[in-house]
Amino acid sequence: MKKFTFRGGVHPYEGKELTAELPLKTLEPGRELAFLVSQHIGAPAVPSVKKGDHVLAGQLLAEAGGFVSARVFSSVSGTVKGIEKRRSAKGDLVDAVIVENDGLYEHVSYDPLPGMEKYIEAYDTPHGTGWEAIQNVSPRSAGEVLDLVRPDEVLSKLSGEQVLSRIREAGVVGMGGAGFPAHVKYAPSDPDKIDYILINGSECEPYVTCDYRLLCDRPGELIAGLKAILKLFGHVQGVFCIEDNKPRAIETLQEALRTEETIFVAPCRTKYPEGAERSLIKAITRRDVNSKMLPADAGCIVVNVSTAYAVFEAVYLGKPDFMRIMTVSGDAAASPGNFLVPTGMYYSDVIQGAGGFRQIPEKLISGGPMMGFAQGSIEGVVTKTSSALTAFTHDLVSRIQETPCINCGRCVDACPAHLVPSHLAEMARTNRLDEFTDNYGMECVNCGSCSWSCPAKRPLAALIFQGRQTVLDRKRNARK
């Protein structure tokens, strides 16, 4: 079997055996939730509610604040307590709509497409009292779902503009981390040049298995979601890109797609950062993407697995984007697993609902250990792009003793962008920004492969990141 791959990359300890095969569970939200108005790239959403308003689950809390922006919805019913500052995963303070959960979980009425009646009857659990009563997390086969949904038949009644409108109205964003508004990403300037829709199921980040659970437990919905995206373009191929350390997911999708002519599965060689957009596009299509390009410029649209599921719910069921699956893992987690979590939930409530810590962690990361963000507290909040909380009993990074570079070249071999990280890090450290730019420092994808592979334990990725941010700040200031 052909395995798709790219040059460079590393093989960190995966840690996925802790959670990969554990059944999905739901987490009940706490008494207060905070919905950040900036859960995406672009302009913050503008609050459309005020203190004292009663809201329902699925109700709009904040309208998109511009073309590149996304709507924000409540995941619970309750009372708006006000607009206050809350800290994002990256550490900055962001406006948030604070909602006091009334525990009733009353929902707005959704707008499913004609033809979805059998699916809703089978899987869309009727509203009731209590969080468990309205969440259906049991696995289902692709065949059962596709027989009930019949995506080709249902979508035949919609135009591409209507599909895109339903995605926009639901506030769907890229849920792999970047948070780019989906309705903008799926409307490139020249849609006729798009020939690949890549469903990114690589999930190369260590310890994180939320996308794997979707691939195994919701394959039919993912296929239907991909078909909705294909509706937006002409003659395109849909590709499920899955690393070969996930054989069950590969076999599940291959079996479900055996009669499809325009959708196939591309098994990828397990290697970090296979899931980075540029690495994935290179692996599948052999096309290059640089920092001045978008994936669309290479004829590709890359869609995270969780995003594809959100597209399914938005297009077929009319449901807004206010839930996601998160992995809670690491050696400090008492009960690692994958959990269905409402957006707006505080990390402290997620941790408590997931069983707490078996030992107070020295390091808590929002995301995984390679590209996640270290947290100074447990008071962050879940957003559409929250994939994981990873807790470690020991902060190994803080114990590292840096030694001088020995010019071994391992960082060069590991870099998927074909850079010389050791030199770029030194240029950034000494503020030689013109030289940094001339040596393609802005092409770094922040994957951290260089730091991981460095025997001298130099903080190469952090230095290069700082250099890139300084260059970007200088450009922004020059435009003022």
Side-chain angles (χ1 to χ4, degrees), residues 132-174:
E132 293 286 346
I134 60 172
Q135 302 303 318
N136 186 336
V137 298
S138 58
R140 44 222 193 210
S141 74
E144 291 174 335
V145 168
L146 294 173
D147 284 345
L148 294 176
V149 174
R150 299 184 180 277
D152 295 328
E153 179 180 324
V154 169
L155 290 171
S156 67
K157 304 168 186 175
L158 289 183
S159 67
E161 291 77 11
Q162 289 173 314
V163 170
L164 197 63
S165 175
R166 291 175 77 87
I167 293 171
R168 179 179 60 253
E169 290 172 1
V172 179
V173 305

Side-chain angles (χ1 to χ4, degrees), residues 148-408:
L148 294 176
V149 174
R150 299 184 180 277
D152 295 328
E153 179 180 324
V154 169
L155 290 171
S156 67
K157 304 168 186 175
L158 289 183
S159 67
E161 291 77 11
Q162 289 173 314
V163 170
L164 197 63
S165 175
R166 291 175 77 87
I167 293 171
R168 179 179 60 253
E169 290 172 1
V172 179
V173 305
M175 299 170 76
F180 200 88
H183 67 277
V184 180
K185 188 174 187 177
Y186 304 162
S189 58
D190 191 350
D192 291 336
K193 289 186 177 180
I194 304 300
D195 45 21
Y196 285 103
I197 306 298
L198 306 180
I199 302 297
N200 189 352
S202 297
E203 198 165 50
C204 59
E205 182 72 36
Y207 289 88
V208 182
T209 56
C210 54
D211 286 347
Y212 173 72
R213 289 311 328 157
L214 276 173
L215 288 166
C216 293
D217 296 348
R218 299 290 189 272
E221 287 89 342
L222 295 178
I223 293 169
L226 172 56
K227 289 193 171 191
I229 300 170
L230 295 178
K231 178 82 175 182
L232 303 174
F233 302 94
H235 300 288
V236 294
Q237 294 187 79
V239 187
F240 281 92
C241 313
I242 308 173
E243 284 193 332
D244 60 6
N245 63 350
K246 305 172 182 65
R248 179 182 166 196
I250 291 173
E251 292 168 6
T252 297
L253 269 298
Q254 285 179 330
E255 173 64 21
L257 295 169
R258 66 187 185 279
T259 61
E260 291 288 339
E261 296 182 355
T262 59
I263 305 176
F264 65 94
V265 178
C268 300
R269 187 168 296 143
T270 300
K271 182 168 56 172
Y272 178 88
E274 180 76 56
E277 277 192 336
R278 296 186 203 174
S279 299
L280 192 67
I281 291 170
K282 184 67 173 180
I284 303 299
T285 70
R286 311 313 301 166
R287 300 170 186 174
D288 293 308
V289 178
N290 61 42
S291 63
K292 297 179 181 179
M293 299 170 61
L294 294 172
D297 296 324
C300 300
I301 301 289
V302 182
V303 182
N304 174 262
V305 164
S306 293
T307 311
Y309 186 76
V311 167
F312 166 79
E313 292 203 313
V315 174
Y316 294 84
L317 300 177
K319 284 189 175 182
D321 188 4
F322 62 77
M323 298 289 295
R324 73 154 300 137
I325 296 175
M326 287 182 68
T327 301
V328 177
S329 191
D331 64 353
S335 300
N338 298 293
F339 302 91
L340 184 65
V341 181
T343 58
M345 195 169 175
Y346 287 102
Y347 287 168
S348 55
D349 290 332
V350 173
I351 293 164
Q352 181 179 357
F357 296 127
R358 69 178 185 85
Q359 179 180 329
I360 299 300
E362 285 189 1
K363 191 153 202 172
L364 177 67
I365 301 171
S366 178
M370 293 296 285
M371 292 191 72
F373 298 94
Q375 301 297 292
S377 73
I378 57 174
E379 293 310 313
V381 295
V382 176
T383 68
K384 300 172 188 178
T385 61
S386 300
S387 62
L389 284 173
T390 314
F392 294 110
T393 55
H394 299 290
D395 184 356
L396 299 180
V397 174
S398 67
R399 291 174 168 80
I400 288 174
Q401 296 295 316
E402 181 184 351
T403 59
C405 175
I406 60 174
N407 294 316
C408 65

Side-chain angles (χ1 to χ4, degrees), residues 41-63:
I41 287 176
V46 179
S48 55
V49 293
K50 62 184 184 301
K51 184 177 180 179
D53 285 352
H54 180 72
V55 297
L56 303 177
Q59 182 172 328
L60 182 69
L61 297 179
E63 186 57 84

